[in-house]
Amino acid sequence: MSLSKKDKAVDVPTDDDTSLHQFTDESGAPATLPEVGNGGEESKMKVLLGLMKKLMGVKDVANLRISLPASLLEPIPNLEYWQYADRADIFAAIGDSDNEVDRMLAVLRFSFSKELKFIRARLGKPYNSALGEHFRCSWRLPPIVIDKETGEPVIRTHIHVPIPGEPAYGGQGGSGWTTPVLGPEHGGRTNSEASSFVSTSSKASKKSPAIGYKQGNKSTDTISVNKTIPGPGDEIESDPDAGVVESEKVTVVFLCEQVSHHPPISAYYYTCPEKGIEGYGMDQISAKVSGMSVKVGPGASNRGIFLKIAREGPGQGEEYQITHPSASVNGILKGSYYGTISDQIQINCRGGEKSKTKLRALIDYKDESWIGKPRFLLDGVIYRYIVGNELEEGWTKPKQVPADKIVANVEGSWMKEVRYKLKGSKEWKTLLDLDLLALIPKDVRPLEEQDEQESRRLWDPVTQQLVGKNWGEATRQKQVIEQQQRDKAAARKAKGEDHQSRFFEADYEDGRPKLSQEGKKAIEQEMTRLSAKARERAENEI
């Protein structure tokens, strides 16, 4: 996508924005910050503090033409990092209920689970995306189910277990996880069958004793702690679903592509075909330095995440639009980063059965005090609004909603536990216990099966050097890739050609990207690949 001067979105800097010039060299290439010292923690801090000073007052840091030294980067591509299916099992269960309130609660669960990387993963700066870069991955897993007795979610894969020295919040760079062994009522094998599936893929699983966790007011046995996840980009070769029969699992596929470079915008698509659930949207962020923190929010082209129920039955055709909150990266001076979330979000239900009223949710993320530890609190409401009523559709904060419109209240901590209470009930129930959730690793094709513009293969020369802590060589490899992208842009300009996205159609001005034929083909290939692996596992169960 290209934005002309006439179509340029308000407050979005483009190539002709003079505020960018101070961050480019004489040729217009991004200004390059050199490594300082040996690239260690002290050197990183010097570079980072110097950069923060330069960026004070800059309108939008996210669109600056500046090349950072590799030592400041995490070894993960931007397109892989900024995805919202850290818990694909929660995404897959969005349309499971016949009840419209329960479906809205399921969408809220997904909304809170998509922030899991701020809780479990080490925060940092991923690689900038190149124009035309793309990433795809899949998950084969059991969706969450709602316990019939308690009405609370049952997590059936990757239960979080704190690792030694894990901080109370953020910045730990991963978490331990364990495998739940579930009873037949939740899709599990019998105890005798499940006991033979203990994973032995890591030293941790052999050394750690079996533990238990509390869920749905019932005690559930678990398999011992498995590997830790150093970040959201690493896979674990093991059986994390030893307690669940293969027929209970579904496939979730994710595909995204960088469709604009200035401003940086990507399109993305999720699907769970077995459940008839789709997710799609445009990602663009704006960022601003405030004091010694960086505040990140949605850019002008980012209309939020759209979730659609495409399967037949109650709720068919419903589309939920989830707006994004703002997030801040804090703790920079201490060298121990953690994220906080602020502002309000809205979740609007549209489409589906014709009705004069629909449901809408408002969530208010509480601002943190500048003294003391952050509390990560939120509250919110689900209310029924009259379709077309501008006043009722325009409320943005929970306190604006009259009591007689509210169907449920929400409260809690987005770092720990969120609960809800239906109108007329005195009982609070767990909507989502985030303490139970570990990041679920992605299933990604090997590098040799990826093409040159696929994220992991494109950035692999940098990743290998970063993992080896060869900071100078990592920076050099990064600059080589960046120069190759500039050369491609110059060649297109010389020919008078515009970049054409490969996996998405060009019309996504409303924030709802559509898959191209190439995109549909890529999704089908992922489904075929995972189906083959599922058949193999099912045969091994017999």
Side-chain angles (χ1 to χ4, degrees):
M1 182 179 76
S2 60
L3 293 176
S4 64
K5 291 183 180 180
K6 184 178 73 172
D7 298 328
K8 184 173 69 173
V10 178
D11 291 336
V12 178
T14 55
D15 291 351
D16 61 347
D17 195 313
T18 56
S19 66
L20 300 179
H21 293 173
Q22 60 179 309
F23 295 98
T24 58
D25 62 19
E26 297 80 2
S27 67
T32 300
L33 292 182
E35 295 282 4
V36 176
N38 59 6
E41 291 302 317
E42 184 178 349
S43 300
K44 290 182 186 179
M45 189 56 62
K46 289 180 180 179
V47 175
L48 191 55
L49 291 178
L51 178 61
M52 295 284 282
K53 291 178 181 178
K54 288 184 178 182
L55 298 181
M56 291 293 290
V58 174
K59 196 173 188 180
D60 188 0
V61 176
N63 197 48
L64 288 181
R65 290 186 173 188
I66 188 167
S67 181
L68 298 176
S71 62
L72 294 183
L73 303 177
E74 289 296 316
I76 181 172
N78 186 62
L79 294 182
E80 178 175 355
Y81 183 77
W82 284 107
Q83 55 88 18
Y84 304 112
D86 289 333
R87 294 297 307 201
D89 55 338
I90 294 177
F91 169 82
I94 284 170
D96 280 359
S97 178
D98 293 343
N99 180 278
E100 63 175 335
V101 176
D102 289 338
R103 290 195 296 274
M104 178 60 84
L105 291 171
V107 172
L108 277 169
R109 265 186 215 104
F110 166 79
S111 180
F112 295 128
S113 72
K114 72 180 177 61
E115 317 292 4
L116 192 63
K117 63 174 59 66
F118 287 140
I119 307 172
R120 299 280 174 258
R122 179 175 59 243
L123 297 184
K125 175 68 174 70
Y127 311 138
N128 284 339
S129 300
L131 185 62
E133 179 185 338
H134 50 275
F135 176 75
R136 69 187 191 190
C137 67
S138 307
W139 297 265
R140 180 75 182 172
L141 39 65
I144 64 167
V145 293
I146 303 301
D147 187 273
K148 294 180 179 179
E149 293 184 18
T150 66
E152 297 181 353
V154 178
I155 309 302
R156 304 198 287 175
T157 184
H158 286 88
I159 303 298
H160 169 237
V161 178
I163 58 177
E166 183 174 307
Y169 52 84
Q172 67 267 37
S175 63
W177 59 267
T178 187
T179 301
V181 178
L182 304 163
E185 72 276 14
H186 293 145
R189 304 179 179 91
T190 63
N191 289 337
S192 59
E193 291 175 315
S195 63
S196 64
F197 279 83
V198 176
S199 173
T200 57
S201 66
S202 73
K203 295 179 181 179
S205 65
K206 297 175 184 177
K207 291 182 178 180
S208 303
I211 61 175
Y213 74 95
K214 195 77 171 175
Q215 177 180 282
N217 298 324
K218 294 182 179 179
S219 179
T220 305
D221 292 330
T222 58
I223 290 176
S224 58
V225 176
N226 212 295
K227 287 185 180 180
T228 61
I229 305 175
D234 290 350
E235 285 71 45
I236 298 172
E237 295 295 333
S238 63
D239 186 358
D241 306 307
V244 181
V245 293
E246 185 62 36
S247 61
E248 286 286 313
K249 299 179 185 179
V250 297
T251 299
V252 175
V253 178
F254 170 57
L255 174 68
C256 64
E257 179 181 10
Q258 191 77 5
V259 296
S260 172
H261 192 53
H262 291 294
I265 303 173
S266 62
Y268 59 86
Y269 177 81
Y270 301 83
T271 182
C272 178
E274 296 100 325
K275 294 284 190 175
I277 303 298
E278 297 177 307
Y280 39 88
M282 307 297 297
D283 255 344
Q284 178 196 7
I285 65 171
S286 63
K288 186 175 182 179
V289 174
S290 177
M292 280 293 112
S293 66
V294 179
K295 187 170 185 178
V296 179
S301 296
N302 190 334
R303 308 293 177 82
I305 303 171
F306 296 87
L307 303 175
K308 187 174 183 179
I309 299 177
R311 52 116 180 99
E312 294 182 357
Q316 181 180 9
E318 286 180 349
E319 183 187 67
Y320 296 82
Q321 181 182 10
I322 308 171
T323 63
H324 291 285
S326 296
S328 294
V329 179
N330 305 282
I332 294 176
L333 277 178
K334 296 180 179 179
S336 178
Y337 313 137
Y338 66 92
T340 58
I341 300 177
S342 59
D343 299 334
Q344 297 81 34
I345 68 167
Q346 298 92 47
I347 301 178
N348 299 300
C349 176
R350 304 186 183 95
E353 296 180 4
K354 289 186 178 180
S355 173
K356 293 182 179 179
T357 64
K358 294 288 182 182
L359 293 180
R360 194 166 188 256
L362 303 177
I363 301 297
D364 184 13
Y365 290 89
K366 302 301 181 181
D367 289 332
E368 303 292 350
S369 171
W370 64 276
I371 56 174
K373 294 182 178 180
R375 302 175 67 188
F376 312 110
L377 298 180
L378 60 84
D379 64 26
V381 297
I382 300 173
Y383 72 96
R384 189 173 299 281
Y385 72 94
I386 299 174
V387 176
N389 186 306
E390 293 184 3
L391 174 65
E392 296 181 0
E393 291 183 8
W395 291 326
T396 58
K397 297 181 179 181
K399 62 183 180 181
Q400 294 175 307
V401 183
D404 62 343
K405 291 284 185 180
I406 296 173
V407 299
N409 291 88
V410 179
E411 68 174 23
S413 165
W414 62 267
M415 275 272 187
K416 294 292 183 181
E417 181 182 18
V418 182
R419 60 181 190 164
Y420 72 96
K421 182 174 67 174
L422 296 176
K423 184 177 182 178
S425 173
K426 295 181 180 180
E427 180 184 5
W428 286 92
K429 293 185 177 182
T430 298
L431 178 69
L432 189 63
D433 187 349
L434 289 119
D435 266 343
L436 288 178
L437 306 181
L439 292 167
I440 299 181
K442 300 172 286 289
D443 190 319
V444 184
R445 293 163 18 261
L447 286 182
E448 59 270 19
E449 296 179 17
Q450 300 178 21
D451 67 34
E452 293 181 355
Q453 285 294 100
E454 204 153 346
S455 290
R456 289 195 179 182
R457 183 170 174 180
L458 175 66
W459 293 102
D460 185 61
V462 181
T463 300
Q464 294 302 321
Q465 298 302 324
L466 283 181
V467 171
K469 297 184 178 180
N470 301 316
W471 314 117
E473 182 60 19
T475 297
R476 193 187 74 81
Q477 292 291 344
K478 175 175 173 289
Q479 292 169 348
V480 169
I481 294 171
E482 291 169 341
Q483 185 58 49
Q484 289 173 345
Q485 302 306 314
R486 288 194 291 273
D487 292 344
K488 290 181 180 180
R492 284 193 301 270
K493 186 176 181 179
K495 295 178 182 179
E497 298 176 349
D498 291 327
H499 172 76
Q500 301 295 322
S501 55
R502 174 179 172 187
F503 297 106
F504 294 89
E505 295 180 1
D507 181 17
Y508 30 71
E509 294 302 318
D510 66 350
R512 297 173 173 88
K514 299 178 181 63
L515 290 174
S516 66
Q517 288 302 316
E518 278 288 303
K520 294 175 182 177
K521 182 180 178 181
I523 295 293
E524 290 171 359
Q525 288 174 342
E526 282 295 292
M527 291 297 302
T528 300
R529 184 175 69 87
L530 261 69
S531 294
K533 295 175 71 172
R535 285 194 299 271
E536 183 180 350
R537 284 194 296 266
E539 291 172 358
N540 292 334
E541 287 184 0
I542 301 175

